[in-house]
Amino acid sequence: MLHRATATTDQPHGWQDYVVPQNWDAFTADDHAVWDLLFARQVQLLGSRVVSVFLDGIDLLRLSHPGVPNLDELNAILEPRTGWRTVAVTGLVPDDIFFAMLSERVFPVGNFIRKREQLDYLEEPDCFHDLFGHIPMLANHDFAEMIEHVGGLGTAAIAAGRGELVARIYWHSVEFGLAQDGGELKILGAGLASSFGEAHFSLESDSVERLPFSVPRAARTAYRNDVFQPLYLVSDSVAGTVGEILATTPEALLAIE
Ligand SMILES: [Fe+2]
């Protein structure tokens, strides 16, 4: 899910209330063909421009299997590996629900896929963004632990009225982060890995800023979710950013001005 800063829900609830059946049988032949088209196009576009952990995850989870992935089949591989599982939702979920899910190693996946007429324009993230962009990274044990930790940080930050701190950290790493990997600048974030237009732009444009990632810098850096990013934060390494986020306590986070 392309996470964004939104108001939290005001009624008592649990994240389970947002889960719906994936209803995989309802995907049409054209839906599956759209997945195959997006997958083939994006793999070719990315080539080796994405961190190796991502490419490993594509293979480990057999995401190249044709058609929209069946979440039950995906979970049968993912859950024994890292304890993460996917659940279907109808669209963006509120931030507090989203972070609560992450803190329990549950990742929400839209139960729909874009239409052929809108391959490159999405009003909200569909299952291609969620599954192709995010799930490969959850097959990595360290990244899997980090995302769970982000869920806990998010819950704590929202409780303190500072949810934007974690939304920004998530945005500048998990969604739109870049990283040094194997001696080269690579795509780290799911928003970039799943984007046809912004993937190359993020690495190659001369008109954007690229600054080193740190938790305090990310937490202080606002973002927009409706345009290509004017600024990307670059991790020294995937492991370095994972370690820095894992070492961040709620107290340290909330001390960031
Ligand atoms: Fe996302």
Side-chain angles (χ1 to χ4, degrees), residues 1-3 98 107 125 129-130 133-134 170 174-176 190-191 194:
M1 189 57 50
L2 187 72
H3 171 66
F98 181 71
F107 203 89
H129 167 79
D130 295 327
H134 286 287
Y170 186 88
V174 178
E175 289 289 1
F176 287 91
S194 64

Side-chain angles (χ1 to χ4, degrees), residues 29 199 215:
V215 165

